[in-house]
Amino acid sequence: MSSRTLIGALVGAAALAFSAGGADAQQKLKVGFIYVGPVGDHGWSYQHDVGRKAIEKAFGDNVETTYVESVPEADSERAIEQLARTGHGLIFTTSFGFMEPTLKVAKKYPNIKFEHATGFKRAPNLSTYAAKFHEGRYVIGQIAGKMTKSGTIGYVGAFPIPEVVAGINSYFLGAQSVNPGVKLKVVWANSWYDPAKEADAGKALLDQGVDVLAQHTDSPAPLQAAEARGKFGFGQASDMERFAPKAQLTAIVDNWSDYYVARTKAVLDGTWKSEDLWGGFDKGMVVMSPFKNMPDDVKKLAEETEAAIKAGTLNPFKCPIVKQDGTTVECKGNGALSDEQVLGMNFYVKGIDDKLPQ
Amino acid sequence: MTTFEAILLTIVTASTPLLIASLGELVAERSGVLNLGVEGMMAMGAACSFAAAVTFNSTAIGVGAGVLAGAVMAALFALVVLGFAANQVGSGLAVTIFGLGLSGLIGAPFVGARRDPVAPLHLPGLTDLPVIGRLFFGQDLFVYGSLVLTLAVALYLNRTRAGLILRSIGENHASAHGLGLPVLKTRFLAILFGGACAGLAGAYLSLVYTRFWSPGMTAGRGWIALALVVFAAWRPKWVLIGAYVFGAATVLQLHAQAAQFGVPSQLLSAVPYLATILALLLLSLRHGRAIGTPGSLGVPFVPDR
């Protein structure tokens, strides 16, 4: 028992020495990243890595960045602690499942700043940040509503979780606002990432009369299926134009670069504070790639909608929001649904004549 | 094109990689070797074929590279399980993990590249026939190749002397060795064939199915191919049927969702797997206890014992 205590004390002392060493070595800030997928996924992790490179470009020799990719959520604590022990002063963990491990490591290393994407648990040295992708989905919904000739638009979803459901509702509300009779078909792939199955899901929708296809899975496969049939689609997470130059109308691009550069600067300046940021068009965290393959009036409409959301004069979830069963959702935000209501959305809006799997 | 026709075309695309990979594994297992490395060999086939196809701008070279990559991985597996008589389950799993990792490394520079579609067959007159035209005369060459391969494997196993030797080695390698049959050589070639098929299936995924490469894109199809061999009770005809049943179940559940049948999608996603269990059940009911498992399957062979 006593030897165990001794070892514990030694490890503690070593950890202290490490963190003290990190505080002394002020000349160069080391910034670490933990990714859930490979940087080559064309989507989620890829865009976070674009943000990492932006830090390197902005601060040059004043910073050093490292990343660990394809970290399983169950094993992430070890990877995060590894970065904490090797002198990193700022660590970004970029998947919802990293929430508890990040919190645990953050408590152990109070001098290191942590940033966790898409979570809700904070500490004095742990910030959270996420992006309002549903704002982009309202814009593509309007484009889809205008572009469809068959009157039926489609959506490939990954899993029926609130983030995806809110995206589907926003997409449909956007389409409905310009095309009141529009129909929506949803197919669940039950996978974030299975390119072949995503392609099949896209083809199934196209075969059943869909002519504009949106997706909330990670690969360009559904968009490419639309291209092969001469139909239209949208890029997801990153600009996927090179996969479907004729089919991609626009893409909802996750832009973490500005945020990552700002947070790194805050650490360098000593002004970093623990915060929670849920930014959309207004903070530049969600960006639309150039509007292409569409008539000028549709392009103009999309640009105006994007500008209105950015200015705060338009909210995709402005009240009243009516559920499928006809009941009106209680309006807890300022003239629109509150952030909590959007983050916990578990219903389809009226007009979607499909059943949400529970 | 009618919806029905479109669904049938998608089913063919979904079934073909499963059929090709399963046929290769079937031959390896009939020789008595359990190769759990199919997923890794398939991943290598997908990465190498795409890399070669983009570099040389040729689908044919891509296919060749995919087949070769699968065979090279298989040779490595053969060295371990035949040369050193190592445990086949452990070695196969290691090859899968190694293959998935190495394919990520090889494919990394080709992330984001894309290829034009492989042109399907077009026979004037025949391909333009209503309903059956595209289905029977308008597929890509992989599809016809996979059907020819099924026939060839069936004939080889059941109608040739070499096939009989392979089967007898798989049933009882000690007796076969006693009769002077080349156990290790036959198994080596069977493993190579299995790897080449897995590589070809991988090439189909990245060159035809999705037409881009990304890490881990096989997404478990190698494991499904392994399950199909058991499903088929080690018979080529049933591999063909099984691959198409599985492909159809996968595609039809997506269509059922789009058609808003109101059945939970999670349940529909499980349909292919339920179909496998049901088929296994029916097969074992029909055949009793002996459902065709090769007698020496998974047992290492050391000649001097």
Side-chain angles (χ1 to χ4, degrees):
Chain A
M1 197 62 201
S2 67
S3 68
R4 221 179 252 181
T5 323
L6 183 68
I7 291 170
L10 276 174
V11 169
L16 210 66
F18 263 111
S19 52
D24 282 343
Q26 277 295 338
Q27 69 273 26
K28 200 170 198 177
L29 175 68
K30 281 174 87 175
V31 185
F33 286 84
I34 305 277
Y35 304 140
V36 69
V39 293
D41 68 356
H42 306 304
W44 183 256
S45 293
Y46 171 80
Q47 285 300 130
H48 285 286
D49 202 52
V50 169
R52 180 186 66 81
K53 286 177 186 152
I55 293 177
E56 290 206 324
K57 203 173 159 213
F59 301 103
D61 288 342
N62 293 325
V63 298
E64 189 185 321
T65 68
T66 29
Y67 69 87
V68 191
E69 63 181 336
S70 301
V71 176
E73 293 176 340
D75 190 33
S76 57
E77 188 180 333
R78 200 177 49 81
I80 300 165
E81 183 143 11
Q82 181 68 24
L83 289 184
R85 282 185 176 188
T86 47
H88 289 79
L90 176 61
I91 296 171
F92 293 92
T93 58
T94 62
S95 182
F96 180 78
F98 298 154
M99 183 161 69
E100 295 297 339
T102 308
L103 186 66
K104 231 167 135 181
V105 180
K107 282 188 173 153
K108 252 165 128 175
Y109 297 89
N111 293 329
I112 299 174
K113 313 286 187 260
F114 291 85
E115 299 258 354
H116 176 236
T118 70
F120 53 80
K121 293 197 174 170
R122 285 170 287 283
N125 63 330
L126 169 59
S127 285
T128 51
Y129 62 100
K132 293 178 180 172
F133 304 116
H134 65 268
E135 295 184 347
R137 298 199 184 278
Y138 192 82
V139 176
I140 66 170
Q142 285 198 330
I143 297 170
K146 281 282 187 190
M147 293 298 289
T148 180
K149 291 194 179 74
S150 67
T152 306
I153 57 175
Y155 206 102
V156 178
F159 293 99
I161 59 170
E163 186 195 346
V164 181
V165 174
I168 293 172
N169 283 335
S170 186
Y171 178 69
F172 181 72
L173 289 169
Q176 209 179 30
S177 73
V178 297
N179 184 346
V182 74
K183 292 253 178 283
L184 175 71
K185 282 181 188 284
V186 180
V187 165
W188 300 97
N190 286 305
S191 172
W192 280 113
Y193 184 73
D194 180 343
K197 194 171 182 188
E198 291 170 47
D200 286 342
K203 284 182 205 159
L205 285 166
L206 294 165
D207 288 342
Q208 298 206 9
V210 164
D211 58 357
V212 186
L213 192 60
Q215 80 215 52
H216 197 159
T217 49
D218 288 346
S219 89
L223 176 62
Q224 217 171 26
E227 168 110 351
R229 301 285 179 91
K231 301 294 197 293
F232 294 110
F234 302 97
Q236 158 72 9
S238 68
D239 190 345
M240 296 176 169
E241 194 189 0
R242 61 179 180 271
F243 292 103
K246 290 202 224 48
Q248 182 178 295
L249 294 162
T250 179
I252 303 170
V253 179
D254 310 352
N255 173 30
W256 308 107
S257 301
D258 298 346
Y259 180 74
Y260 287 170
V261 168
R263 298 305 276 174
T264 306
K265 187 165 186 302
V267 173
L268 288 168
D269 296 348
T271 56
W272 190 95
K273 280 203 313 279
S274 174
E275 288 169 8
D276 173 39
L277 180 70
W278 197 35
F281 288 148
D282 56 341
K283 298 275 194 291
M285 288 173 95
V286 181
V287 184
M288 304 307 292
S289 75
F291 299 110
K292 292 196 174 155
N293 301 319
M294 63 184 85
D296 286 343
D297 62 319
V298 180
K299 186 177 168 186
K300 188 157 169 281
L301 171 79
E303 282 166 352
E304 281 167 8
T305 303
E306 185 187 356
I309 295 175
K310 191 170 183 174
T313 54
L314 174 65
N315 187 317
F317 292 117
K318 63 176 177 292
C319 294
I321 294 291
V322 183
K323 286 191 197 180
Q324 269 180 318
D325 61 8
T327 56
T328 306
V329 184
E330 189 192 346
C331 200
K332 290 186 180 165
N334 183 19
L337 298 190
S338 70
D339 289 356
E340 285 70 30
Q341 283 178 302
V342 176
L343 289 167
M345 199 169 273
N346 61 355
F347 59 85
Y348 277 154
V349 294
K350 195 169 166 48
I352 301 180
D353 52 0
D354 200 352
K355 220 174 133 222
L356 179 64
Q358 294 291 349
Chain B
M1 190 163 60
T2 62
T3 309
F4 178 66
E5 197 186 343
I7 292 175
L8 290 181
L9 285 171
T10 322
I11 290 174
V12 173
T13 318
S15 310
T16 299
L18 299 176
L19 175 60
I20 297 173
S22 298
L23 283 174
E25 177 66 12
L26 175 101
V27 170
E29 291 196 15
R30 284 301 280 269
S31 83
V33 180
L34 180 65
N35 174 11
L36 296 186
V38 181
E39 178 83 3
M41 295 171 188
M42 212 174 185
M44 281 293 284
C48 293
S49 63
F50 193 75
V54 170
T55 307
F56 299 102
N57 195 25
S58 154
T59 302
I61 293 177
V63 170
V67 170
L68 191 67
V72 168
M73 292 295 285
L76 178 74
F77 174 70
L79 176 74
V80 177
V81 299
L82 300 180
F84 301 106
N87 178 288
Q88 292 177 7
V89 172
S91 311
L93 289 174
V95 167
T96 284
I97 296 165
F98 177 57
L100 287 172
L102 188 62
S103 68
L105 191 68
I106 290 170
F110 298 92
V111 163
R114 69 184 285 272
R115 297 262 315 145
D116 287 330
V118 175
L121 185 70
H122 190 92
L123 301 172
L126 285 178
T127 309
D128 303 324
L129 287 174
V131 187
I132 57 160
R134 284 276 307 277
L135 187 62
F136 290 104
F137 305 109
Q139 302 286 353
D140 53 71
L141 289 178
F142 286 87
V143 173
Y144 301 111
S146 70
L147 298 175
V148 171
L149 196 65
T150 311
L151 190 67
V153 167
L155 289 177
Y156 166 77
L157 285 177
N158 299 319
R159 295 273 184 275
T160 69
R161 187 178 155 77
L164 182 66
I165 291 174
L166 181 123
R167 281 189 289 137
S168 58
I169 287 169
E171 283 306 326
N172 189 331
H173 54 212
S175 304
H177 182 60
L179 290 170
L181 298 175
V183 176
L184 291 180
K185 188 183 149 206
T186 306
R187 284 189 174 170
F188 180 67
L189 293 175
I191 293 173
L192 278 194
F193 177 75
C197 285
L200 182 63
Y204 185 75
L205 276 183
S206 64
L207 293 178
V208 180
Y209 210 140
T210 62
R211 304 190 340 261
F212 62 84
W213 182 85
S214 53
M217 67 177 296
T218 46
R221 277 173 187 74
W223 299 113
I224 294 172
L226 273 158
L228 272 174
V229 176
V230 183
F231 169 98
W234 290 270
R235 279 160 180 79
K237 182 177 75 185
W238 281 94
V239 163
L240 176 68
I241 294 168
Y244 274 79
V245 165
F246 213 96
T250 313
V251 170
L252 287 177
Q253 67 96 355
L254 294 169
H255 275 279
Q257 285 189 50
Q260 298 166 357
F261 279 8
V263 184
S265 70
Q266 294 93 333
L267 183 68
L268 291 171
S269 288
V271 162
Y273 304 94
L274 293 175
T276 306
I277 294 172
L278 188 69
L280 282 175
L281 207 74
L282 291 175
L283 274 169
S284 66
L285 282 179
R286 216 183 90 191
H287 294 273
R289 275 165 61 222
I291 54 165
T293 316
S296 294
L297 184 62
V299 185
F301 174 69
V302 182
D304 291 330
R305 252 177 243 163

